[in-house]
Amino acid sequence: MTSTSLSLIASDLDRTLIYSAAALHLPMPDAQAPRLLCVEVYERKPLSYMTETAAALLAGLARSAVFVPTTTRTREQYGRIHLPGPAPRFAICANGGHLLVDGESDRDWQRVVAARLADECASLAEVRAHLLAAADPAWLLKERVAEDLFAYLVVERSLLPDGWTRELAEWAGTKGWTVSLQGRKIYAVPKPLTKSAAVHELVRRTGAERVLAAGDSLLDADLLLTADHAWRPGHGELADTDWSPPHVTALAERGVEAGEEILRRFTETVTEASAAPAGPVRATVPAPGGTEAPVAL
């Protein structure tokens, strides 16, 4: 008799599973382009998409694994997304700052996060003041604070001076913060605020014996390192630096095709491993741009 083990799938959303029109990357002729499903509407306009094939794969995963959307989006921004299949019971928002259970932020987890931020890094107010002082109005379009946890700038990317983001990252690192450049957004996020910490909490709560993950940016590195197996697309910050730890598969696909391939890999792995003994869950917190070796819990 065989036994099954529970898989938890924690995946980034934007530019990993879902894509704006500008990020779709459809290199094939129009007649060969995949059919797209709109999964987000904002101000009465379609905003984010996935392929119909990807949508079917995602809906199927809900029947065989615990799927956890894992995003840097705020709760409000996440609420605009309507993924195919049943609504996930769990979701991770604000880069791990909020753990949603049946749509509600878990208060116990909020207290854990608040304590870590108070003890381990500079305040949001200090970092935000530096961001505003260092940014040039010539290329700064917007400045925002997300959930009173972190800050980000929306910039005119073509006017952003070479080296500015690197200098900001060096300063932020001394304050216990991480900087990530994603499209037109420059994020400044406390290092203790991680997607992986929230995933570990969900592993504890669900009893999952296997963690699969996917993501494209520096803010996803800790998530990918904490998984038993992970995938990254052929675009994004991690691809730009050729970041590929041993258990992270670097895909060649880019754009919306990468999202479909990630879901195909999730499905294949869950199917193949459903009756196999589960391995240890990995845990580490990477330095910015680093590839620390995962350690078994």
Coordinates of all heavy atoms in Angstrom, one line a residue, residues 36-126:
L36 N -5.6 33.9 -24.2 CA -5.4 34.5 -22.9 C -6.6 34.7 -22.1 O -7.7 34.9 -22.6 CB -4.7 35.9 -23.0 CG -3.4 35.9 -23.8 CD1 -2.9 37.4 -24.0 CD2 -2.3 35.1 -23.0
L37 N -6.5 34.5 -20.8 CA -7.6 34.7 -19.8 C -7.2 35.9 -19.0 O -6.2 35.9 -18.4 CB -7.8 33.5 -19.0 CG -8.8 33.6 -17.9 CD1 -10.2 33.7 -18.5 CD2 -8.7 32.4 -16.9
C38 N -8.1 36.9 -18.9 CA -7.9 38.0 -18.0 C -8.2 37.6 -16.6 O -9.3 37.1 -16.3 CB -8.8 39.2 -18.4 SG -8.7 40.6 -17.3
V39 N -7.3 37.9 -15.6 CA -7.5 37.5 -14.2 C -7.5 38.7 -13.3 O -7.6 38.5 -12.1 CB -6.4 36.5 -13.8 CG1 -6.5 35.2 -14.6 CG2 -5.0 37.1 -14.0
E40 N -7.3 39.9 -13.9 CA -7.4 41.1 -13.0 C -7.9 42.3 -13.8 O -7.5 42.5 -15.0 CB -6.0 41.4 -12.5 CG -6.0 42.7 -11.7 CD -4.6 43.1 -11.2 OE1 -3.6 42.6 -11.8 OE2 -4.5 44.0 -10.3
V41 N -8.9 43.0 -13.2 CA -9.4 44.2 -13.8 C -9.2 45.3 -12.8 O -9.4 45.2 -11.6 CB -10.9 44.1 -14.1 CG1 -11.5 45.4 -14.6 CG2 -11.1 43.0 -15.2
Y42 N -8.7 46.5 -13.3 CA -8.4 47.6 -12.5 C -9.0 48.9 -13.1 O -8.7 49.1 -14.3 CB -7.0 47.8 -12.2 CG -6.6 48.9 -11.3 CD1 -7.2 49.1 -10.0 CD2 -5.7 49.9 -11.7 CE1 -6.8 50.1 -9.2 CE2 -5.4 50.9 -10.9 CZ -5.9 51.1 -9.6 OH -5.6 52.1 -8.8
E43 N -9.8 49.6 -12.4 CA -10.5 50.8 -12.9 C -11.2 50.5 -14.3 O -11.0 51.2 -15.2 CB -9.4 51.9 -13.1 CG -8.9 52.4 -11.8 CD -7.9 53.6 -11.9 OE1 -7.4 53.8 -13.0 OE2 -7.7 54.2 -10.9
R44 N -11.9 49.4 -14.3 CA -12.7 48.9 -15.4 C -11.9 48.6 -16.6 O -12.4 48.5 -17.7 CB -13.7 50.0 -15.7 CG -14.7 50.3 -14.6 CD -15.8 51.2 -15.0 NE -16.7 51.5 -13.8 CZ -17.8 52.3 -13.9 NH1 -18.1 52.8 -15.1 NH2 -18.5 52.5 -12.9
K45 N -10.6 48.3 -16.4 CA -9.7 47.9 -17.6 C -9.0 46.6 -17.3 O -8.6 46.4 -16.1 CB -8.7 49.0 -17.9 CG -9.3 50.3 -18.3 CD -8.2 51.4 -18.5 CE -8.8 52.7 -18.9 NZ -7.7 53.7 -19.1
P46 N -8.9 45.7 -18.3 CA -8.2 44.5 -18.0 C -6.7 44.8 -17.8 O -6.1 45.6 -18.4 CB -8.4 43.7 -19.3 CG -8.7 44.7 -20.4 CD -9.4 45.8 -19.6
L47 N -6.1 44.1 -16.8 CA -4.8 44.4 -16.4 C -3.8 43.3 -16.4 O -2.7 43.4 -16.9 CB -4.8 45.0 -14.9 CG -3.5 45.6 -14.4 CD1 -3.0 46.8 -15.3 CD2 -3.6 46.1 -13.0
S48 N -4.2 42.1 -16.0 CA -3.3 40.9 -15.9 C -3.9 39.7 -16.5 O -5.1 39.5 -16.5 CB -2.9 40.6 -14.4 OG -2.3 41.7 -13.8
Y49 N -3.0 38.9 -17.1 CA -3.5 37.7 -17.9 C -2.6 36.5 -17.6 O -1.5 36.6 -17.1 CB -3.3 38.0 -19.4 CG -4.0 39.3 -19.9 CD1 -3.4 40.5 -19.8 CD2 -5.3 39.2 -20.4 CE1 -4.0 41.7 -20.2 CE2 -5.9 40.4 -20.9 CZ -5.3 41.6 -20.8 OH -5.9 42.7 -21.2
M50 N -3.2 35.3 -17.9 CA -2.4 34.1 -18.0 C -3.0 33.3 -19.2 O -4.1 33.7 -19.7 CB -2.5 33.3 -16.8 CG -3.9 32.8 -16.4 SD -4.1 32.3 -14.6 CE -2.6 31.3 -14.4
T51 N -2.3 32.3 -19.7 CA -2.9 31.6 -20.9 C -4.0 30.7 -20.4 O -4.1 30.3 -19.2 CB -1.8 30.7 -21.5 OG1 -1.4 29.6 -20.7 CG2 -0.6 31.5 -21.9
E52 N -4.9 30.3 -21.3 CA -6.0 29.4 -20.9 C -5.5 28.1 -20.4 O -6.0 27.4 -19.5 CB -7.0 29.3 -22.0 CG -7.8 30.5 -22.3 CD -8.9 30.3 -23.3 OE1 -8.9 29.3 -24.0 OE2 -9.8 31.1 -23.4
T53 N -4.4 27.6 -21.1 CA -3.7 26.4 -20.6 C -3.2 26.5 -19.2 O -3.4 25.6 -18.4 CB -2.6 26.0 -21.6 OG1 -3.1 25.8 -22.9 CG2 -1.9 24.7 -21.1
A54 N -2.6 27.6 -18.9 CA -2.1 27.8 -17.5 C -3.3 27.9 -16.5 O -3.2 27.3 -15.4 CB -1.3 29.1 -17.4
A55 N -4.4 28.5 -16.9 CA -5.6 28.6 -16.1 C -6.1 27.2 -15.7 O -6.4 26.9 -14.6 CB -6.6 29.4 -16.7
A56 N -6.1 26.3 -16.7 CA -6.6 24.9 -16.5 C -5.7 24.2 -15.6 O -6.1 23.4 -14.7 CB -6.8 24.2 -17.8
L57 N -4.4 24.3 -15.8 CA -3.4 23.7 -14.9 C -3.5 24.1 -13.5 O -3.5 23.3 -12.5 CB -2.0 23.9 -15.4 CG -1.6 23.3 -16.7 CD1 -0.3 23.9 -17.3 CD2 -1.4 21.8 -16.5
L58 N -3.7 25.4 -13.3 CA -3.8 26.0 -11.9 C -5.1 25.5 -11.2 O -5.1 25.1 -10.1 CB -3.9 27.5 -12.0 CG -4.0 28.2 -10.6 CD1 -2.9 27.8 -9.6 CD2 -3.9 29.7 -10.8
A59 N -6.2 25.4 -12.0 CA -7.4 24.9 -11.4 C -7.3 23.4 -11.0 O -7.8 23.0 -9.9 CB -8.6 25.0 -12.4
G60 N -6.5 22.7 -11.8 CA -6.3 21.3 -11.4 C -5.4 21.1 -10.2 O -5.6 20.2 -9.4
L61 N -4.5 22.0 -10.0 CA -3.6 21.9 -8.8 C -4.4 22.0 -7.5 O -4.0 21.4 -6.5 CB -2.5 23.0 -8.9 CG -1.3 22.7 -9.8 CD1 -0.4 23.9 -9.9 CD2 -0.5 21.5 -9.2
A62 N -5.4 22.8 -7.5 CA -6.2 23.0 -6.3 C -6.8 21.7 -5.7 O -7.1 21.6 -4.6 CB -7.3 24.0 -6.5
R63 N -6.9 20.7 -6.6 CA -7.5 19.4 -6.2 C -6.4 18.4 -5.6 O -6.8 17.4 -5.0 CB -8.2 18.7 -7.4 CG -9.4 19.5 -7.9 CD -10.2 18.7 -8.9 NE -9.5 18.5 -10.1 CZ -9.5 19.3 -11.2 NH1 -10.3 20.4 -11.1 NH2 -8.9 19.1 -12.3
S64 N -5.1 18.8 -5.8 CA -4.1 17.8 -5.5 C -3.0 18.4 -4.6 O -2.1 17.7 -4.1 CB -3.4 17.2 -6.7 OG -2.9 18.3 -7.5
A65 N -3.1 19.7 -4.3 CA -2.1 20.3 -3.4 C -2.6 21.6 -2.8 O -3.7 22.0 -3.1 CB -0.8 20.7 -4.3
V66 N -1.9 22.1 -1.8 CA -2.3 23.4 -1.2 C -1.6 24.5 -2.0 O -0.4 24.7 -1.9 CB -1.9 23.5 0.3 CG1 -2.2 24.8 0.9 CG2 -2.5 22.3 1.0
F67 N -2.4 25.3 -2.8 CA -1.8 26.3 -3.6 C -1.9 27.6 -2.8 O -3.0 28.0 -2.4 CB -2.5 26.5 -4.9 CG -2.0 27.7 -5.7 CD1 -0.8 27.7 -6.3 CD2 -2.9 28.8 -5.9 CE1 -0.3 28.8 -7.0 CE2 -2.4 29.9 -6.6 CZ -1.1 29.9 -7.1
V68 N -0.8 28.3 -2.7 CA -0.7 29.6 -1.9 C -0.1 30.7 -2.7 O 1.1 30.8 -3.0 CB 0.2 29.4 -0.6 CG1 0.2 30.7 0.2 CG2 -0.3 28.2 0.2
P69 N -1.0 31.6 -3.2 CA -0.5 32.8 -3.9 C 0.4 33.5 -2.9 O 0.1 33.8 -1.7 CB -1.7 33.6 -4.2 CG -2.8 32.6 -4.2 CD -2.5 31.6 -3.1
T70 N 1.6 33.9 -3.4 CA 2.7 34.5 -2.5 C 3.2 35.7 -3.1 O 4.0 35.6 -4.1 CB 3.8 33.5 -2.2 OG1 3.2 32.2 -1.7 CG2 4.8 34.0 -1.2
T71 N 2.8 36.9 -2.7 CA 3.0 38.1 -3.4 C 3.5 39.3 -2.6 O 3.3 39.3 -1.4 CB 1.7 38.5 -4.2 OG1 1.9 39.7 -4.9 CG2 0.6 38.7 -3.2
T72 N 4.1 40.2 -3.2 CA 4.5 41.5 -2.6 C 3.3 42.5 -2.6 O 3.4 43.5 -2.0 CB 5.8 42.1 -3.3 OG1 6.8 41.1 -3.3 CG2 6.3 43.3 -2.5
R73 N 2.3 42.2 -3.4 CA 1.1 43.0 -3.4 C 0.5 43.2 -2.0 O 0.6 42.4 -1.2 CB 0.1 42.4 -4.3 CG 0.3 42.5 -5.8 CD -0.8 41.9 -6.6 NE -0.6 42.0 -8.0 CZ -1.6 42.5 -8.9 NH1 -2.7 42.9 -8.4 NH2 -1.3 42.5 -10.1
T74 N -0.1 44.4 -1.9 CA -0.9 44.6 -0.7 C -2.2 43.7 -0.7 O -2.5 43.2 -1.8 CB -1.3 46.1 -0.6 OG1 -2.2 46.4 -1.7 CG2 -0.1 47.0 -0.6
R75 N -2.9 43.7 0.4 CA -4.1 42.9 0.4 C -5.1 43.4 -0.6 O -5.8 42.7 -1.3 CB -4.7 42.9 1.8 CG -3.9 42.0 2.8 CD -4.4 42.3 4.2 NE -4.0 43.6 4.7 CZ -4.4 44.1 5.9 NH1 -5.2 43.4 6.7 NH2 -4.0 45.3 6.3
E76 N -5.2 44.8 -0.7 CA -6.2 45.4 -1.6 C -5.8 45.0 -3.1 O -6.7 44.7 -3.9 CB -6.2 46.9 -1.4 CG -7.1 47.6 -2.4 CD -7.1 49.1 -2.2 OE1 -6.4 49.6 -1.3 OE2 -7.8 49.8 -3.0
Q77 N -4.5 45.1 -3.4 CA -4.1 44.8 -4.8 C -4.3 43.3 -5.1 O -4.7 42.9 -6.2 CB -2.6 45.2 -4.9 CG -2.4 46.7 -4.9 CD -0.9 47.0 -4.7 OE1 -0.1 46.2 -4.3 NE2 -0.5 48.2 -5.2
Y78 N -4.0 42.4 -4.1 CA -4.3 41.0 -4.3 C -5.8 40.7 -4.5 O -6.1 39.9 -5.3 CB -3.8 40.2 -3.1 CG -4.2 38.8 -3.1 CD1 -3.7 37.9 -4.0 CD2 -5.1 38.3 -2.1 CE1 -4.1 36.6 -4.0 CE2 -5.5 37.0 -2.1 CZ -5.0 36.1 -3.1 OH -5.4 34.8 -3.1
G79 N -6.6 41.5 -3.8 CA -8.0 41.3 -3.9 C -8.6 41.5 -5.3 O -9.7 41.1 -5.6
R80 N -7.8 42.2 -6.2 CA -8.3 42.5 -7.5 C -8.1 41.3 -8.4 O -8.7 41.2 -9.5 CB -7.5 43.7 -8.1 CG -7.7 45.0 -7.4 CD -7.2 46.1 -8.3 NE -5.9 46.0 -8.8 CZ -4.9 46.8 -8.4 NH1 -5.0 47.7 -7.5 NH2 -3.7 46.6 -9.0
I81 N -7.3 40.3 -8.0 CA -7.0 39.2 -8.8 C -8.0 38.0 -8.6 O -8.4 37.7 -7.5 CB -5.6 38.6 -8.5 CG1 -4.5 39.7 -8.8 CG2 -5.3 37.4 -9.3 CD1 -3.1 39.3 -8.3
H82 N -8.5 37.5 -9.7 CA -9.4 36.4 -9.6 C -8.8 35.2 -10.4 O -9.0 35.1 -11.6 CB -10.8 36.8 -10.2 CG -11.4 37.9 -9.4 ND1 -12.1 37.7 -8.2 CD2 -11.5 39.2 -9.7 CE1 -12.5 38.9 -7.8 NE2 -12.2 39.8 -8.6
L83 N -8.2 34.3 -9.7 CA -7.5 33.2 -10.3 C -8.5 32.1 -10.6 O -9.5 32.0 -9.9 CB -6.4 32.6 -9.4 CG -5.2 33.6 -9.1 CD1 -4.3 33.0 -8.0 CD2 -4.4 33.9 -10.4
P84 N -8.2 31.3 -11.6 CA -9.2 30.2 -11.9 C -9.1 29.1 -10.8 O -8.2 29.0 -10.0 CB -8.6 29.6 -13.2 CG -7.2 30.0 -13.2 CD -7.1 31.3 -12.5
G85 N -10.2 28.4 -10.7 CA -10.3 27.3 -9.7 C -10.9 27.9 -8.4 O -11.2 29.1 -8.3
P86 N -11.0 27.1 -7.4 CA -11.5 27.5 -6.1 C -10.6 28.6 -5.5 O -9.4 28.5 -5.7 CB -11.6 26.3 -5.2 CG -10.6 25.3 -5.9 CD -10.6 25.6 -7.3
A87 N -11.2 29.5 -4.7 CA -10.4 30.5 -4.0 C -9.4 29.8 -3.0 O -9.8 29.0 -2.2 CB -11.3 31.5 -3.3
P88 N -8.1 30.2 -3.1 CA -7.2 29.6 -2.2 C -7.5 29.9 -0.7 O -7.9 31.0 -0.4 CB -5.8 30.2 -2.6 CG -6.0 30.7 -4.0 CD -7.5 31.1 -4.1
R89 N -7.4 28.9 0.1 CA -7.7 29.1 1.6 C -6.6 30.1 2.2 O -6.9 30.9 3.0 CB -7.7 27.8 2.3 CG -8.2 28.1 3.8 CD -8.1 26.9 4.7 NE -8.5 27.3 6.0 CZ -8.3 26.6 7.1 NH1 -7.6 25.4 7.0 NH2 -8.6 27.0 8.3
F90 N -5.4 29.9 1.7 CA -4.3 30.7 2.3 C -3.7 31.6 1.2 O -3.7 31.2 0.0 CB -3.2 29.8 2.8 CG -3.6 28.8 3.9 CD1 -3.7 27.5 3.6 CD2 -3.9 29.3 5.2 CE1 -4.1 26.6 4.6 CE2 -4.3 28.4 6.2 CZ -4.4 27.1 5.9
A91 N -3.2 32.7 1.6 CA -2.5 33.6 0.7 C -1.5 34.4 1.5 O -1.7 34.7 2.7 CB -3.4 34.5 -0.1
I92 N -0.3 34.7 0.9 CA 0.7 35.5 1.5 C 0.8 36.8 0.8 O 1.1 36.8 -0.4 CB 2.0 34.8 1.6 CG1 1.9 33.5 2.4 CG2 3.1 35.7 2.1 CD1 3.1 32.6 2.3
C93 N 0.6 38.0 1.5 CA 0.6 39.3 0.9 C 1.7 40.1 1.5 O 2.2 39.8 2.6 CB -0.8 40.0 1.0 SG -2.1 39.2 0.0
A94 N 2.0 41.3 0.9 CA 2.9 42.3 1.5 C 4.2 41.6 1.8 O 4.9 41.9 2.8 CB 2.3 43.0 2.7
N95 N 4.7 40.7 0.9 CA 6.0 40.1 1.0 C 6.1 39.3 2.3 O 7.2 39.2 2.9 CB 7.1 41.1 0.9 CG 8.4 40.5 0.2 OD1 8.3 40.1 -0.9 ND2 9.4 40.3 1.0
G96 N 5.0 38.7 2.8 CA 5.1 38.0 4.0 C 4.5 38.7 5.2 O 4.4 38.2 6.3
G97 N 4.2 40.0 5.0 CA 3.7 40.8 6.1 C 2.3 40.4 6.6 O 1.9 40.6 7.7
H98 N 1.5 39.8 5.6 CA 0.1 39.4 6.0 C -0.1 38.0 5.5 O 0.2 37.6 4.3 CB -0.9 40.3 5.3 CG -1.0 41.6 6.0 ND1 -1.7 41.8 7.2 CD2 -0.5 42.8 5.6 CE1 -1.6 43.1 7.5 NE2 -0.9 43.7 6.6
L99 N -0.6 37.1 6.4 CA -0.9 35.8 6.1 C -2.4 35.7 6.1 O -3.1 35.8 7.1 CB -0.3 34.8 7.1 CG -0.7 33.3 7.0 CD1 -0.3 32.8 5.7 CD2 0.0 32.6 8.2
L100 N -3.0 35.5 4.9 CA -4.5 35.5 4.8 C -5.0 34.0 5.0 O -4.5 33.1 4.4 CB -4.9 36.0 3.4 CG -4.5 37.4 3.0 CD1 -5.2 37.8 1.8 CD2 -4.7 38.4 4.2
V101 N -6.0 33.9 5.8 CA -6.7 32.6 6.0 C -8.2 32.9 5.7 O -8.8 33.7 6.4 CB -6.5 32.1 7.5 CG1 -7.2 30.8 7.6 CG2 -5.0 32.0 7.8
D102 N -8.7 32.2 4.7 CA -10.0 32.5 4.2 C -10.3 34.0 4.0 O -11.4 34.5 4.4 CB -11.0 31.9 5.2 CG -10.9 30.4 5.3 OD1 -10.6 29.7 4.2 OD2 -11.1 29.8 6.4
G103 N -9.3 34.7 3.5 CA -9.5 36.1 3.1 C -9.2 37.1 4.2 O -9.2 38.3 3.9
E104 N -8.9 36.6 5.4 CA -8.7 37.5 6.6 C -7.3 37.4 7.0 O -6.7 36.3 7.1 CB -9.7 37.2 7.7 CG -11.1 37.3 7.4 CD -11.5 38.8 7.1 OE1 -10.9 39.7 7.7 OE2 -12.4 39.0 6.3
S105 N -6.7 38.5 7.4 CA -5.3 38.5 7.8 C -5.2 37.9 9.2 O -6.0 38.3 10.1 CB -4.7 40.0 7.8 OG -3.4 40.0 8.2
D106 N -4.3 37.0 9.4 CA -4.1 36.3 10.7 C -3.5 37.3 11.7 O -2.3 37.7 11.5 CB -3.3 35.1 10.5 CG -3.2 34.2 11.7 OD1 -4.1 33.3 11.9 OD2 -2.3 34.4 12.5
R107 N -4.1 37.5 12.8 CA -3.6 38.5 13.8 C -2.4 38.0 14.5 O -1.5 38.7 14.9 CB -4.7 38.9 14.8 CG -5.8 39.7 14.1 CD -6.7 40.4 15.1 NE -7.7 41.2 14.4 CZ -8.6 42.0 15.0 NH1 -8.5 42.2 16.3 NH2 -9.5 42.7 14.3
D108 N -2.3 36.7 14.8 CA -1.2 36.1 15.4 C 0.1 36.4 14.6 O 1.2 36.7 15.1 CB -1.4 34.6 15.7 CG -2.4 34.4 16.8 OD1 -2.6 35.3 17.6 OD2 -2.9 33.3 16.9
W109 N -0.1 36.2 13.3 CA 1.1 36.4 12.4 C 1.4 37.8 12.3 O 2.6 38.2 12.2 CB 0.7 35.8 11.0 CG 1.9 36.0 10.0 CD1 2.0 36.7 9.0 CD2 3.2 35.3 10.2 NE1 3.2 36.6 8.4 CE2 4.0 35.7 9.1 CE3 3.7 34.3 11.1 CZ2 5.3 35.2 8.9 CZ3 5.0 33.9 10.9 CH2 5.7 34.3 9.8
Q110 N 0.5 38.7 12.3 CA 0.8 40.2 12.3 C 1.7 40.5 13.5 O 2.6 41.3 13.4 CB -0.5 41.0 12.4 CG -1.3 41.0 11.1 CD -2.6 41.8 11.2 OE1 -2.5 42.9 11.9 NE2 -3.6 41.4 10.6
R111 N 1.4 39.9 14.7 CA 2.2 40.2 15.9 C 3.6 39.7 15.7 O 4.6 40.3 16.2 CB 1.5 39.6 17.1 CG 0.3 40.4 17.6 CD -0.2 39.9 18.9 NE -0.9 38.7 18.8 CZ -2.2 38.6 18.6 NH1 -3.0 39.6 18.5 NH2 -2.8 37.4 18.5
V112 N 3.7 38.5 15.1 CA 5.1 38.0 14.9 C 5.9 38.9 14.0 O 7.1 39.2 14.3 CB 5.0 36.6 14.3 CG1 6.3 36.1 13.8 CG2 4.4 35.6 15.3
V113 N 5.3 39.3 12.9 CA 6.0 40.2 12.0 C 6.3 41.5 12.6 O 7.5 42.0 12.5 CB 5.1 40.5 10.7 CG1 5.6 41.6 9.9 CG2 4.9 39.2 9.9
A114 N 5.4 42.1 13.4 CA 5.7 43.4 14.0 C 6.9 43.3 15.0 O 7.7 44.2 15.0 CB 4.5 43.9 14.8
A115 N 7.0 42.2 15.7 CA 8.1 42.1 16.7 C 9.4 41.9 15.9 O 10.4 42.5 16.3 CB 7.8 40.8 17.5
R116 N 9.4 41.2 14.8 CA 10.7 41.0 14.1 C 11.1 42.4 13.5 O 12.3 42.7 13.5 CB 10.5 40.0 12.9 CG 10.3 38.6 13.4 CD 10.0 37.6 12.3 NE 9.9 36.3 12.8 CZ 9.5 35.2 12.1 NH1 9.2 35.4 10.8 NH2 9.5 34.0 12.6
L117 N 10.2 43.2 12.9 CA 10.6 44.4 12.3 C 11.1 45.4 13.4 O 12.0 46.2 13.1 CB 9.4 45.0 11.6 CG 8.9 44.2 10.4 CD1 7.7 45.0 9.7 CD2 10.0 43.9 9.4
A118 N 10.5 45.4 14.6 CA 10.9 46.3 15.6 C 12.3 46.0 16.1 O 13.1 46.9 16.5 CB 10.0 46.2 16.8
D119 N 12.7 44.7 16.1 CA 14.0 44.2 16.7 C 15.1 44.2 15.7 O 16.3 44.2 16.1 CB 13.8 42.8 17.3 CG 12.9 42.8 18.5 OD1 12.7 43.9 19.1 OD2 12.4 41.8 18.8
E120 N 14.9 44.0 14.4 CA 15.9 43.6 13.4 C 16.3 44.6 12.3 O 17.2 44.2 11.5 CB 15.5 42.2 12.8 CG 15.3 41.1 13.9 CD 14.8 39.8 13.2 OE1 15.1 39.6 12.0 OE2 14.2 39.1 13.9
C121 N 15.6 45.7 12.2 CA 16.0 46.6 11.1 C 15.6 48.0 11.4 O 14.9 48.3 12.4 CB 15.3 46.2 9.8 SG 13.5 46.2 9.9
A122 N 16.1 49.0 10.6 CA 15.7 50.4 10.7 C 14.2 50.6 10.5 O 13.6 49.7 9.8 CB 16.5 51.2 9.8
S123 N 13.7 51.7 10.9 CA 12.3 52.0 10.8 C 11.9 52.3 9.3 O 12.7 52.8 8.6 CB 11.8 53.1 11.7 OG 12.4 54.3 11.2
L124 N 10.6 52.1 9.0 CA 10.1 52.5 7.7 C 10.3 54.0 7.5 O 10.6 54.5 6.4 CB 8.6 52.1 7.6 CG 7.8 52.6 6.4 CD1 8.4 52.1 5.1 CD2 6.4 52.2 6.5
A125 N 10.0 54.8 8.6 CA 10.1 56.3 8.5 C 11.5 56.7 8.0 O 11.7 57.6 7.2 CB 9.8 56.9 9.8
E126 N 12.6 56.1 8.6 CA 14.0 56.4 8.2 C 14.3 56.1 6.8 O 14.8 56.9 6.0 CB 14.9 55.7 9.2 CG 16.4 56.0 8.8 CD 17.4 55.3 9.7 OE1 16.9 54.6 10.7 OE2 18.6 55.3 9.4

